[in-house]
Amino acid sequence: MPHRPHLAQLRRLLLLPCSSVPVPVPARRLSSPRAMASSSVSAAAAAAQAGGAVAAAEYEDVMGRLSSLITQKVRAHSGNRGNQWDLMAHYLQILELEEPIARMKVIHVAGTKGKGSTCTFTEAILRSCGFSTGLFTSPHLMDVRERFRLNGVDISEEKFLKYFWWCWNKLKEKTDDDIPMPTYFRFLALLAFKIFSAEQVDVAVLEVGLGGKFDATNVVEAPVVCGIASLGYDHMEILGNTLGEIAGEKAGIFKKGVPAYTAPQPEEAMIALKQRASELGVSLQVAHPLEPHQLKDQHLGLRGEHQYVNAGLAVALASTWLEKQGHVERIPLNRTDPLPDQFISGLSNAYLQGRAQIITDSQVNSGEEDKDCSLVFYLDGAHSPESMEICARWFSHVTKEDRTVPSSMVQSQSCGNSQKILLFNCMSVRDPMRLLPHLLDTLTQNGVHFDMALFVPNQSQYNKLGTNSSAPAEPEQIDLSWQLSLQRVWQKLLHGDKGMNNTNSSENSLVFESLPLAMEWLRTNARQNRSTSFQVLVTGSLHLVGDVLRLVKK
């Protein structure tokens, strides 16, 4: 049994047997059978409650331990380039994972944008074909277990805890000053390898965390097939300042003799990918975007025109995996005819939170006659210039009045007014002048304008990794300088240089000290203006998207 410190005392307190507590028994008649039965039910309920408290305490303990692995070094630090990548070999030895990883049938995907969606589509296709699947993606939005999917479902808490302690205890026992505990993402990648090998999945689909060459997932020496999703400018502080440099880092997942596919790329990126592929003798092919007719009138499970690019790459990856495993009869005959039914089923049922996701706020939309005039959140974790444009096109498309979607998702024709609001934050390592103009310009081209922009800190910075969130810091403790600078950029985009000096005006932008305060502002306005539909685009950060989801679903 894994060693789980700090919880033994809690277990003893919560599960103390009645016999160990000296209670005087009065000399009274025996209880009736009904009373005895009621007592038994109460005891069972108390035991269940105690067991639940123990499980919750254990889970929070585990989240605290994971949090301790988050390095204080910012990702832009030059030491992160490689960052003693050779330590991964030691961790694999400690956890005895070299052989299990060598046996694993892996699909490995890197990219700037769309790699999570590509992985999700690929896993869904192969699961629909009858294979047991493991899917490792990042980041998570509400719970760390989202990163580990077994057969399309987040890993259970019981299994997560079991494998966590197995890895944690072995690493704690064998690491020291020379070989320290792995950093946060490396531990999660190692945990994924342990989970997928122990659960004996047929296929493991792995999304690269950052870059490719030095990513923790790149310990896989012989994947079945590799994929490169769309490339663009992101994490430039680590990966390089040109598309060629960024593509070179992503191409670090290529392996000699392993087929590779790429989504269509800008010329500079494609040249770098082809050069690396040529050096390794890798067969690199372009996976063309899926055509809508190939789905036989079905819709992709992940919405947005850009998803046809990711779906096309996923079809190529899944087809190659099936071919390499000897299932040639299951793959599409060509790239123009309709796909096999199992492919269509997988693509149409794929699901990934925070990507072109629409969710109503039930606290506001609570069943009144004018329920369609509500507060609706449009969630998309776009955080690169290119994905900002895609996000803006999607938001413009789905909020047009003639758009045919369920009435609960947008305002009905009877709801005369709509207010479009931006809820935004991005990491300070990103340049808002590379993000917000792309968002604003694309919306303007599509005839959409925001009535208000709200800038907030991520609530995540106040939370542990677990589901229990701590209260935000007191206002005087919160540094809003970054949010205020985002607001200034926004004002300048709207009004030119004169807007830079107008940040005290609440006419078209506001800065909030916390996300819950911004949410309360939105809910109050929606309740007070029942004839108006409030359409809120949440973007700039997947962490922000996750925080909004957490607050809406509470």
Side-chain angles (χ1 to χ4, degrees):
M1 186 68 182
H3 177 52
R4 306 184 180 191
H6 304 314
L7 291 170
Q9 186 177 8
L10 179 61
R11 289 183 187 278
R12 286 197 296 272
L13 288 172
L14 290 173
L15 302 178
L16 200 62
C18 296
S19 59
S20 63
V21 183
V23 179
V25 181
R28 297 160 70 179
R29 64 184 177 83
L30 293 172
S31 300
S32 66
R34 179 178 294 180
M36 292 175 68
S38 176
S39 176
S40 297
V41 171
S42 299
Q49 187 175 4
V54 169
E58 179 176 0
Y59 196 71
E60 287 305 308
D61 179 36
V62 165
M63 293 305 104
R65 289 165 190 269
L66 272 178
S67 298
S68 73
L69 301 178
I70 299 176
T71 176
Q72 295 305 305
K73 185 190 297 182
V74 296
R75 289 199 289 180
H77 193 285
S78 60
N80 278 348
R81 195 176 179 84
N83 197 14
Q84 294 184 282
W85 194 77
D86 56 319
L87 286 174
M88 285 298 294
H90 295 288
Y91 301 141
L92 295 180
Q93 289 175 349
I94 292 170
L95 297 176
E96 300 171 357
L97 283 172
E98 302 104 320
E99 280 301 312
I101 290 175
R103 291 194 299 269
M104 212 174 281
K105 308 299 182 185
V106 169
I107 296 174
H108 201 191
V109 182
T112 303
K113 53 191 185 295
K115 60 184 185 292
S117 299
T118 299
C119 288
T120 300
F121 280 135
T122 306
E123 182 275 337
I125 291 170
L126 294 174
R127 175 161 42 89
S128 183
C129 288
F131 297 96
S132 64
T133 61
L135 173 64
F136 178 60
T137 58
S138 62
H140 64 273
L141 298 186
M142 292 186 288
D143 191 298
V144 72
R145 291 184 293 114
E146 297 166 24
R147 296 173 181 250
F148 314 91
R149 283 200 207 174
L150 292 169
N151 297 314
V153 180
D154 297 349
I155 189 172
S156 69
E157 189 171 303
E158 180 183 7
K159 284 185 177 180
F160 175 79
L161 291 173
K162 179 176 78 171
Y163 294 124
F164 170 86
W165 287 117
W166 191 93
C167 293
W168 181 270
N169 290 328
K170 278 187 174 291
L171 287 165
K172 271 293 184 184
E173 182 183 346
K174 297 289 179 68
T175 51
D176 51 32
D177 291 341
D178 294 326
I179 303 176
M181 281 290 284
T183 52
Y184 173 66
F185 184 79
R186 287 180 179 180
F187 182 92
L188 293 179
L190 293 163
L191 181 56
F193 289 127
K194 175 60 183 176
I195 291 169
F196 297 156
S197 61
E199 293 292 318
Q200 298 182 320
V201 299
D202 295 322
V203 55
V205 184
L206 306 179
E207 177 192 356
V208 166
L210 175 64
K213 184 177 181 181
F214 295 116
D215 189 71
T217 60
N218 206 30
V219 296
V220 179
E221 295 182 358
V224 175
V225 60
C226 294
I228 306 290
S230 300
L231 296 176
Y233 293 99
D234 196 20
H235 299 297
M236 295 162 65
E237 74 283 357
I238 300 173
L239 303 179
N241 293 312
T242 69
L243 273 181
E245 290 175 333
I246 292 170
E249 286 292 320
K250 308 289 185 180
I253 68 168
F254 289 168
K255 304 295 186 300
K256 190 171 185 178
V258 175
Y261 289 86
T262 177
Q265 305 289 0
E267 183 179 4
E268 183 183 355
M270 188 64 78
I271 290 172
L273 293 178
K274 286 181 176 178
Q275 179 179 341
R276 183 59 183 154
S278 176
E279 291 169 359
L280 293 170
V282 167
S283 168
L284 176 65
Q285 300 180 56
V286 176
H288 296 277
L290 204 65
E291 296 289 340
H293 78 270
Q294 294 179 267
L295 294 170
K296 299 179 183 175
D297 298 323
Q298 295 292 311
H299 293 287
L300 291 173
L302 306 180
R303 296 307 174 96
E305 294 178 26
H306 61 290
Q307 293 294 359
Y308 286 95
V309 174
N310 301 325
L313 179 56
V315 166
L317 295 173
S319 299
T320 300
W321 189 91
L322 287 166
E323 181 184 359
K324 293 291 184 182
Q325 302 309 306
H327 302 286
V328 181
E329 74 285 354
R330 301 199 188 192
I331 64 176
L333 295 175
N334 54 55
R335 66 178 185 86
T336 56
D337 289 346
L339 295 169
D341 289 345
Q342 289 172 319
F343 274 62
I344 294 174
S345 175
L347 290 168
S348 61
N349 290 307
Y351 176 70
L352 188 61
Q353 290 197 115
R355 279 76 167 181
Q357 181 180 3
I358 306 174
I359 184 170
T360 58
D361 188 350
S362 58
Q363 287 195 26
V364 173
N365 184 9
S366 55
E368 292 85 354
E369 289 183 5
D370 55 347
K371 64 181 180 180
D372 290 334
C373 307
S374 59
L375 177 58
V376 184
F377 292 95
Y378 298 78
L379 307 163
D380 193 82
H383 51 266
S384 70
E386 298 84 1
S387 58
M388 277 288 150
E389 292 182 21
I390 291 167
C391 171
R393 286 199 297 271
W394 166 72
F395 181 70
S396 302
H397 187 51
V398 296
T399 55
K400 291 288 176 68
E401 286 187 357
D402 59 352
R403 172 72 172 154
T404 305
V405 297
S407 61
S408 62
M409 291 301 186
V410 295
Q411 80 271 22
S412 66
Q413 296 299 324
S414 63
C415 191
N417 303 316
S418 69
Q419 287 270 315
K420 291 180 172 58
I421 297 172
L422 173 65
L423 182 58
F424 187 89
N425 190 38
C426 66
M427 292 173 59
S428 58
V429 294
R430 295 196 167 96
D431 181 0
M433 283 303 295
R434 293 181 62 85
L435 301 182
L436 290 172
H438 285 268
L439 179 71
L440 197 59
D441 291 347
T442 307
L443 286 168
T444 302
Q445 290 165 17
N446 285 274
V448 173
H449 304 277
F450 285 117
D451 298 282
M452 180 67 74
L454 312 180
F455 299 97
V456 295
N458 287 350
Q459 183 70 3
S460 302
Q461 64 184 303
Y462 308 118
N463 298 345
K464 290 194 299 180
L465 292 166
T467 52
N468 294 345
S469 57
S470 56
E474 291 300 316
E476 61 269 17
Q477 295 177 282
I478 298 174
D479 180 6
L480 293 174
S481 56
W482 177 243
Q483 284 67 39
L484 289 167
S485 62
L486 292 176
Q487 185 189 37
R488 283 193 293 272
V489 169
W490 184 255
Q491 293 288 127
K492 182 175 183 180
L493 290 172
L494 292 182
H495 305 296
D497 289 334
K498 66 179 182 179
M500 297 288 284
N501 303 316
N502 195 29
T503 55
N504 290 326
S505 170
S506 60
E507 289 182 7
N508 45 42
S509 66
L510 291 169
V511 170
F512 286 91
E513 293 163 346
S514 73
L515 176 60
L517 288 175
M519 294 288 285
E520 187 53 40
W521 183 89
L522 287 166
R523 286 166 172 163
T524 298
N525 276 277
R527 291 187 184 108
Q528 292 176 352
N529 298 275
R530 280 292 177 183
S531 63
T532 300
S533 171
F534 288 83
Q535 301 169 322
V536 184
L537 175 62
V538 184
T539 192
S541 162
L542 270 169
H543 295 293
L544 177 63
V545 167
D547 294 337
V548 170
L549 274 172
R550 190 181 290 111
L551 290 172
V552 171
K553 293 188 174 185
K554 262 189 177 178

